Amino acid sequence: MNTAPITPLRWADRGACLDSDPELFFPFSWEGLPAWHLALARRICQGCPVRVQCLTWAVETGEADGMWGGTTPDERRRIRATRERRAG
Ligand code: SF4
């Protein structure tokens, strides 16, 4: 029997952002960020081996803060709204 503790975000241990400045992915505010800030974070996400898991988790849990899977909170809200509309 495996008695290792369950880690819900086990995939996050393989994230390309592990060694990045947390402020890059969790800025104090998304308003007024310089273009390079978003572009740099998105570039890291684009090369991330767990991007799909990250984005799926953030959308499905309603994660309201930070960049996950290359998306901002506003972008995830739009994804959820589109899914809800399609689900009827
Ligand atoms: S997709 Fe982006 S935010 Fe998610 S684990 Fe990978 S690098 Fe980090």
Side-chain angles (χ1 to χ4, degrees):
M1 182 171 147
N2 184 356
T3 57
I6 297 171
T7 306
L9 298 182
R10 194 172 192 150
W11 50 263
D13 293 344
R14 296 188 290 127
C17 57
L18 281 182
D19 295 328
S20 300
D21 180 351
E23 175 67 17
L24 187 60
F25 291 84
F26 291 89
F28 181 72
S29 170
W30 292 93
E31 301 296 324
L33 281 178
W36 65 261
H37 186 126
L38 277 178
L40 179 55
R42 285 192 211 278
R43 190 176 328 135
I44 293 170
C45 289
Q46 283 169 356
C48 179
V50 292
R51 182 171 182 260
V52 172
Q53 293 96 322
C54 181
L55 178 57
T56 300
W57 181 86
V59 169
E60 291 183 353
T61 62
E63 175 59 56
D65 195 17
M67 175 167 282
W68 296 80
T71 62
T72 64
D74 280 347
E75 291 165 342
R76 290 194 301 279
R77 275 191 282 278
R78 287 195 289 274
I79 291 170
R80 281 193 292 275
T82 299
R83 284 184 175 185
E84 287 168 11
R85 269 196 310 276
R86 287 181 179 161

